[in-house]
Structures are given as structure tokens and as C-alpha cells.
Amino acid sequence: DAGVTQSPTHLIKTRGQHVTLRCSPISGHKSVSWYQQVLGQGPQFIFQYYEKEERGRGNFPDRFSARQFPNYSSELNVNALLLGDSALYLCASSLGGIAKNIQYFGAGTRLSVL
Amino acid sequence: AQRVTQPEKLLSVFKGAPVELKCNYSYSGSPELFWYVQYSRQRLQLLLRHISRESIKGFTADLNKGETSFHLKKPFAQEEDSAMYYCALFLNYGQNFVFGPGTRLSVLP
């Protein structure tokens, strides 16, 4: 099993553009969570999806959205990119809810906004 | 507001010395706390969680509700323990995770 896979690994965008990041969970995992990690800080929780429904949301603006597909893969969308959106975006998958189940993290997508 | 603090950005100890990575939290509800670790060039991974009351790689952490702390301890540090350590708090309300800023542990030979 390849573990949690994220694509792309690196991305460069300009201010105002839109970006879509993708995550494939470990086989059998039904929950996907997204985190933003700015350089020098800990990960910040953005969303959790479980069984294709949003189950948790962090303190991020509406420019950030996500969805989970029937195969449990997920996309994170960010509109109207700002310089401050430059960060490593991590995806984590778990069997179920993120408190009671171990989260397995992907390697991340590094987004640079110029 | 819910918060997790890790006062040390960098902690250096010699091999064989005891190590304690500090974590304090603020949360009005019943806390569920975790320690995550990221070794060099590896992915972030769970080290331990307080509900399991387990010891992983010789590390233990005890939840002290009175002091609102969840410090990570190991009696004898090894060079392979060198990594970035994050303390995290799960918020039942909002199903949210709050990570601390992290402490980089460097175990010197």
C-alpha cells in the first residue's frame, strides 16, 4: 500500500488564481482531513470529511472548500489565492473519526503563491 | 480560545539524558491530546495519544488536567529521537484539531 498520496507535489500560482489539490486515502479509509502548514508553524486544521460529508471545519475563509468523492478521495479547492496561502497542504486519512482513529498523513503539496 | 503551546522551539540534549517536551493546552471541554512526530524526510505520524495510555519508543505522556499539561517524556534519549514533535488537541465541539507550534528535539552524541 502506497499510503496517502497527494498531487501535485509542488505548485506555483499567482495571486487571484484558483487551485485544486488532490488526495487519495489509504484503501479502506473513509475519512480525509486537510491541514495547512505555514513554514515554522504547526499544521492548521482546515476540513474533515467522513463518508462524503463535511464533519469538521477549521477557521478558514470561504475561499477554501473541499469535497470527498464516492471512492473516498478528496479535493481541496482554494479560490482567489493570496500570498498568505503559500504553505504545505497536508492530507490525512483515517478509518473513521479523527479523534478515535489514527490519522495517516501524506507527504503534502507545497503551494507557492507569487 | 482553544490553544496548544509548546514553549521550546528547540531542545538539545545529550544521548542517554532524560528528555521532556512541554505541552500546555487551554480548553474548557474534556481534552483529547496527542503527540505527533516528524522525522527528517518522513511524513508526520502519530506517536501517542493520552486515551491509550501507552508507551511508544520509550516515550510516555501523562495528562495533567490541573496544570492543563501533556508533557512528553523519555528517560534516556537516543540519537534517532531527533525530530520535530507536535502536541495536538482534539476539540469535540466542531470536530477540530489544534496543533501546537512544535519543538525540534536534537539528541547530541
Side-chain angles (χ1 to χ4, degrees):
Chain A
D1 193 338
V4 177
T5 57
Q6 293 186 243
S7 63
T9 53
H10 295 87
L11 204 49
I12 299 175
K13 292 286 188 178
T14 56
R15 279 181 299 175
Q17 285 189 312
H18 161 271
V19 69
T20 297
L21 311 181
R22 296 178 175 82
C23 173
S24 293
I26 291 172
S27 177
H29 285 193
K30 298 182 177 180
S31 174
V32 170
S33 298
W34 286 96
Y35 295 84
Q36 181 195 66
Q37 187 172 22
V38 173
L39 196 62
Q41 298 181 19
Q44 281 195 74
F45 176 80
I46 310 175
F47 289 110
Q48 186 212 358
Y49 276 77
Y50 177 57
E51 287 283 17
K52 302 174 284 283
E53 290 187 4
E54 182 184 301
R55 298 299 181 99
R57 172 185 282 256
N59 188 25
F60 278 81
D62 292 342
R63 299 186 295 109
F64 288 77
S65 64
R67 53 180 176 167
Q68 187 176 33
F69 298 99
N71 66 354
Y72 301 108
S73 67
S74 177
E75 282 182 354
L76 175 70
N77 294 284
V78 187
N79 292 324
L81 285 166
L82 303 174
L83 296 179
D85 295 330
S86 295
L88 180 68
Y89 288 84
L90 297 170
C91 171
S93 77
S94 57
L95 282 170
I98 57 177
K100 301 291 190 285
N101 295 276
I102 296 173
Q103 292 188 84
Y104 295 85
F105 282 83
T109 293
R110 180 148 317 267
L111 172 66
S112 297
V113 182
L114 306 178
Chain B
Q2 302 83 11
R3 216 162 52 124
V4 175
T5 57
Q6 295 178 250
E8 303 125 336
K9 281 193 171 181
L10 174 65
L11 182 64
S12 295
V13 300
F14 286 102
K15 177 182 172 182
V19 62
E20 181 179 66
L21 297 164
K22 292 184 166 54
C23 171
N24 288 90
Y25 66 91
S26 61
Y27 182 45
S28 57
S30 182
E32 295 187 45
L33 287 145
F34 304 76
W35 277 99
Y36 281 82
V37 61
Q38 188 165 26
Y39 301 101
S40 180
R41 290 182 291 279
Q42 293 189 28
R43 301 179 182 195
L44 189 62
Q45 59 185 284
L46 177 68
L47 180 62
L48 56 79
R49 44 188 170 171
H50 91 271
I51 58 172
S52 302
R53 300 191 64 81
E54 57 206 342
S55 174
I56 303 293
K57 299 184 179 184
F59 284 97
T60 59
D62 290 317
L63 176 61
N64 186 323
K65 291 186 179 180
E67 295 182 359
T68 60
S69 68
F70 188 56
H71 302 329
L72 184 68
K73 300 177 184 179
K74 185 170 183 176
F76 307 104
Q78 303 299 315
E79 288 182 70
E80 56 265 29
D81 296 329
S82 295
M84 195 74 182
Y85 291 81
Y86 296 97
C87 182
L89 167 69
F90 177 74
L91 309 177
N92 279 303
Y93 177 79
Q95 296 286 298
N96 197 332
F97 245 96
V98 179
F99 277 79
T103 296
R104 181 167 298 282
L105 174 65
S106 178
V107 181
L108 307 171

